[in-house]
């Protein structure tokens, strides 16, 4: 555990190792291969899962087990693998647990590869009143609520769908601080800052150039642990650069698009993507939210946007603001940053499908 008074911020990989040694982060058998990232930890599915009637939060006075007794439809054993059907909701125990001291909280988000196949994942805790956030002082198990939206997926014990960050205090940068960082090292081409770094959508390209993908409704099964195994054409319909400069998002359809701007996360910061304010558009962008320190440094990289329309068709134009990136300080300098020999899947990315699909 980082103990210095100046250690406010997101835990680095070195801090996470210390947290595991000190019992704050409880692991079943140590860190797995590539489980530890520069400023985050991949969480792993446990053996037991339940299909449930509906998504839920336990509430301040109840545990997850208390709520499962009235909401579980049947239990699944993930030790041999199981299919999670699209349109259904599942609650899965995670192998990791927490014993957080005062002043240290946790937050979670789906992994990038999870969001890009439209699998909605949220962290749930005992006595929880909010998804994805674990207050300081929490001691207990962790669960993932999983809802495949477009594709059914094959998972197994040990699969990773979401990731966790530990943080001490509040280390988010204000807009004024973010502007100073941008002046010293450009975070994006335009440096549009307001409630974080604002990113817009790219829909421009040469004639017939692919600028996005729309998910096919009745595609096959995705094994979340297999990399480069699937033909994109079986799951995705390419979207060519529109001559009019816009596309129409159809209700309840899922799209993969990219930001117009390249961006970077300096090695002493971490970042989290958050959805735009609802008044800026009738769509949701970006399920997955963590950007580790070093993303986009040395290799120009764009943010991939996972976009879903709401109840009515909506015009999305080239250059329209689609997401915000909030930056946080780290507790210290990580020994290794994203892309530096870690086999990072998305360093230097442009428009990019998840790692499950073969690259042309």
């Amino acid at each position: 555990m980082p103990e210095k008074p100046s250690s406010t911020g997101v835990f680095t990989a070195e801090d996470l190792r210390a947290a595991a040694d000190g019992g704050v982060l409880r692991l079943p058998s140590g860190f797995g291969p590539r489980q530890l990232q520069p400023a985050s930890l991949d969480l792993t599915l446990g053996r037991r899962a339940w299909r449930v009637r509906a998504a839920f939060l336990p509430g301040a006075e109840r545990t997850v087990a208390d709520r499962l007794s009235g909401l579980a439809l049947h239990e699944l054993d993930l030790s041999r693998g199981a299919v999670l059907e699209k349109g259904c909701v599942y609650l899965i125990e995670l192998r990791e647990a927490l014993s957080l001291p005062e002043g240290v909280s946790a937050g979670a988000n789906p992994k990038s590869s999870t969001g890009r196949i439209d699998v909605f994942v949220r962290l749930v805790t005992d006595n929880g009143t909010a998804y994805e956030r674990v207050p300081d002082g929490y001691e207990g198990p962790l669960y993932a609520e999983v809802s495949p939206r477009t594709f059914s997926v094959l998972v197994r014990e040990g699969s990773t769908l979401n990731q966790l960050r530990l943080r001490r205090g509040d280390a988010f940068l204000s807009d004024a601080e973010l502007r100073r960082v941008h002046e010293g090292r450009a975070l994006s081409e335009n440096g549009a800052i307001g409630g974080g770094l604002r990113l817009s959508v790219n829909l421009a390209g040469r004639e017939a150039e692919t600028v996005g993908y729309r998910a096919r409704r009745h595609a096959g099964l995705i094994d979340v642990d297999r990399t480069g195994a699937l033909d994109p054409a079986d799951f995705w319909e390419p979207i060519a650069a529109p001559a009019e400069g816009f596309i129409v998002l159809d209700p309840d359809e899922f799209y993969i698009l990219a930001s117009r701007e390249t961006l970077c996360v300096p090695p002493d910061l971490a970042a989290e993507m958050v959805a735009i304010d609802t008044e800026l558009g009738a769509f949701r962008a970006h399920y997955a939210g963590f950007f580790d320190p070093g993303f986009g440094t040395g290799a120009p990289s764009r943010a991939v946007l996972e976009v879903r329309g709401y109840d009515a068709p909506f015009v999305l134009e080239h250059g329209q603001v689609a997401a915000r990136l909030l930056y946080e300080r780290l507790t210290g300098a990580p020994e290794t940053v994203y892309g530096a020999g870690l086999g990072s899947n998305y360093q230097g990315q442009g428009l990019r499908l998840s790692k499950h699909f073969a690259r042309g």
Side-chain angles (χ1 to χ4, degrees):
M1 290 287 294
E3 295 295 344
K4 304 184 299 297
S6 60
S7 63
T8 295
V10 172
F11 281 28
T12 64
E14 293 71 41
D15 298 329
L16 292 171
R17 288 190 184 279
D21 291 341
V24 172
L25 180 60
R26 305 206 300 266
L27 307 170
S29 55
F31 293 101
R34 297 181 61 182
Q35 186 180 8
L36 195 60
Q37 305 300 322
S40 59
L41 173 77
D42 289 353
L43 298 172
T44 56
L45 301 184
R47 182 181 60 82
R48 294 190 301 168
W50 298 265
R51 182 179 169 189
V52 293
R53 292 162 50 194
F56 68 90
L57 285 166
E61 304 300 324
R62 288 181 287 193
T63 66
V64 169
D66 293 336
R67 295 292 283 156
L68 275 175
S69 63
L71 292 173
L73 297 176
H74 62 266
E75 184 173 332
L76 293 81
D77 183 350
L78 301 189
S79 61
R80 297 184 179 180
V83 173
L84 307 184
E85 301 283 353
K86 66 178 180 180
C88 299
V89 182
Y90 301 86
L91 199 285
I92 305 176
E93 63 179 3
L94 297 172
R95 297 198 294 190
E96 296 75 22
L98 292 174
S99 183
L100 297 178
E102 294 299 319
V104 175
S105 61
N109 257 312
K111 288 171 59 66
S112 293
S113 297
T114 306
R116 294 185 201 194
I117 55 173
D118 201 19
V119 176
F120 199 38
V121 181
R122 297 185 289 190
L123 187 73
V124 181
T125 66
D126 285 342
N127 312 113
T129 58
Y131 289 111
E132 304 284 57
R133 297 292 180 255
V134 189
D136 62 348
Y138 176 79
E139 182 168 357
L142 301 174
Y143 300 85
E145 179 191 284
V146 182
S147 179
R149 302 291 303 277
T150 298
F151 310 117
S152 296
V153 295
L154 174 63
V155 302
R156 53 189 60 79
E157 184 178 8
S159 297
T160 62
L161 298 180
N162 60 343
Q163 52 194 169
L164 185 82
R165 275 188 178 157
L166 298 184
R167 55 174 57 88
R168 186 189 297 279
D170 182 2
F172 283 104
L173 272 63
S174 67
D175 283 351
E177 291 171 318
L178 199 57
R179 289 189 182 96
R180 287 195 290 271
V181 172
H182 178 71
E183 289 170 0
R185 179 170 191 171
L187 301 176
S188 69
E189 291 93 335
N190 59 20
I193 294 172
L197 181 70
R198 294 195 165 212
L199 298 176
S200 61
V201 66
N202 179 57
L203 294 174
R206 299 182 303 273
E207 184 179 357
E209 180 180 351
T210 297
V211 296
Y213 296 92
R214 172 173 164 163
R216 298 188 185 277
R217 277 284 188 174
H218 305 290
L221 182 69
I222 296 177
D223 185 334
V224 300
D225 297 323
R226 295 188 66 193
T227 300
L230 301 173
D231 184 347
D234 294 335
F235 292 80
W236 301 97
E237 174 189 348
I239 299 172
E244 306 91 341
F246 67 86
I247 62 173
V248 176
L249 302 178
D250 289 323
D252 205 32
E253 296 289 341
F254 183 68
Y255 302 81
I256 294 292
L257 303 170
S259 67
R260 181 175 58 167
E261 306 83 1
T262 60
L263 62 99
C264 80
V265 181
D268 59 340
L269 298 175
E272 180 176 354
M273 187 78 82
V274 295
I276 63 167
D277 300 324
T278 54
E279 64 264 23
L280 295 182
F283 62 94
R284 175 192 173 98
H286 217 89
Y287 293 160
F290 287 164
F291 289 74
D292 275 304
F295 178 87
T297 58
S301 305
R302 301 183 188 274
V304 167
L305 305 173
E306 302 126 16
V307 176
R308 176 175 288 278
Y310 287 155
D311 295 331
F314 182 77
V315 171
L316 184 64
E317 300 196 44
H318 173 70
Q320 186 167 341
V321 174
R324 296 180 292 126
L325 200 62
L326 303 181
Y327 283 77
E328 291 184 88
R329 297 179 186 86
L330 303 178
T331 54
E335 293 180 2
T336 306
V337 297
Y338 189 86
L342 296 177
S344 306
N345 289 300
Y346 303 120
Q347 186 74 303
Q349 70 180 0
L351 177 67
R352 174 80 190 276
L353 296 173
S354 74
K355 65 182 181 181
H356 309 99
F357 298 95
R359 301 183 69 177

